[in-house]
Structures are given as structure tokens and as C-alpha cells.
Amino acid sequence: MSVKDILLNSEKKVAWLCDPDKTADQQLIYTAHVAQNAGADMVLIGGSHLQHNGLDHCIERIKSACSLPVVLFPGNCMQISPLADAILFLSLISGRNADLLIGQHVNVAYQLHQSNLEIIPTGYMLIDSGMPTSVSYISNTMPIPRDKTDIAVSTALAGQLLGMQAIYLEAGSGAALTVPLQCIKSVKEHTRLPLIIGGGINNGKIAKSIMLSGADMIVIGNAAEERPDCLYEIISYIKKTPFNAEENQ
Ligand code: 1GP
């Protein structure tokens, strides 16, 4: 099954986000086992700022430990590896930094075109989480204010009209405040693309409310890095929940 098919199916999905800088080999292999056994749907790999060039090595380790699809989640055009299965080809549509809207993409377009990677054009949107995050600093962009749901909806719609195949609402790695539920609800109501939510999701209760608000997939990074077994708790909470949007009102 392609990654796009997984994103489009009607199930609620969970991705483990692996930061190749922060995960030692043993923990990487352990977390990959846990992700698979807990019922995660895919592994994302990348980050807004990597200090080491360990991407290939990391993907090899993950693939030796689990059979989940590995999807690149690149912070820049250096984070490309042919060993992955797919790439979220992110355009930072909430920002006005031309390099992250189209510039980095031009740098890798030919390489991607020649590769076997499945390409998933994704509208990437930063939502303010109450304090500066690595991704807002590194990208040199301002996130969309938390209460400006109308701007988030218009931005996501613009992404859809431009031909994106998924929308990712990002609060930032380790965010104290996740993407507001009202923002998730409104973007979901007004668009028809798979909706991915990440940043600060660290327990089953939060994960469930985000799913009930309309997320199709949530991304768990920091929490799994600190305590890999939390994936069991979060995923079982989600997979056993009958998702009825009215429950969250
Ligand atoms: C960050 O959305 C991801 O890009 C995941 O965030 O590390 O806070 O889970 P966390």
C-alpha cells in the first residue's frame, strides 16, 4: 500500500517522528519495535535542524527493526535519502520565506524525479504555540496566531487549490500548547485533504481530542523519544476509540 493510500484511508493514524540527531542506535531499534507493535502507521524522519548527517544510517536501523513505511519529513533539501519509501514534500505555506515555499524544492526536484520515492506534496503550516519554536526560528517565519482560525482555513484552502495532497498543522516540536482544537475543526471542515497534526502531543487524552477535532493523523516525536512505551498508551487510546465528532463538543 502506498503512503498516500494510508493517508487517505478512513482510519485514524499515528506516526512516530524520529529525530536522527537525538536517537542512539539501541533506542532507535527499540522504539521502532514499539511503534510497530503498538500499531503505528508510519515513521517520519527529519527535523527543522539536524547537526549530524546520520539519515541513511538511521533509516537502515529503523528498517532492520520494523516494516513500517519510512517517510522523509525534511527541514531542508539536505535531508533526502533514497533509502526511505516516501517524502512529505513540504512547502511552508504559512510563511513568506520563498526558500521554504519553493527554493529548496528546486534544489532537489531533479534528484527526487529520478528517485523511487513516493512524493506527497504537503502544505506545511506553523500555528503559534505560545512561545518561539525551533521551526519558527530556523524557518525565519511567523506562525499563524492561535486565534486566527480564518487565516489558517484560508491558508489550508490555498494549499489545496495549489494541488497539495495533505495539510500538516504544526505547533512545533515539544510545544507546550498543541494546535488549537478549533483550528483543527475549522480546517477539516473547509478542506478535503488528509489532515496531519503535530507538536506537543504527549498523552492519549490530548491525542484523542485532536483526533475528535478532525485530525486524520497525529505525529508523536518528543514523547516517544523520552518514553518510547508511551506509543502503546497513545495508540491504544486512539485505536479503541469510536470516532464521532459530536463527542468532542
Ligand atoms: C514536530 O510535529 C512534530 O515537527 C512532533 O512534535 O516532538 O512535540 O511530538 P513533538
Side-chain angles (χ1 to χ4, degrees), residues 194-220:
L195 184 58
I196 306 169
I197 310 292
I201 304 171
N202 56 16
N203 66 55
K205 206 168 161 221
I206 292 176
K208 181 179 167 183
S209 59
I210 286 175
M211 287 303 198
L212 283 166
S213 300
D216 295 295
M217 182 165 88
I218 56 166
V219 179
I220 314 288

Side-chain angles (χ1 to χ4, degrees), residues 17 47-48 73 124 135 168-175 197-202 219-225:
L17 170 64
S48 52
F73 175 61
Y124 190 48
V135 63
Y168 191 134
L169 302 183
E170 172 72 271
S173 183
I197 310 292
I201 304 171
N202 56 16
V219 179
I220 314 288
N222 269 262
E225 194 183 306

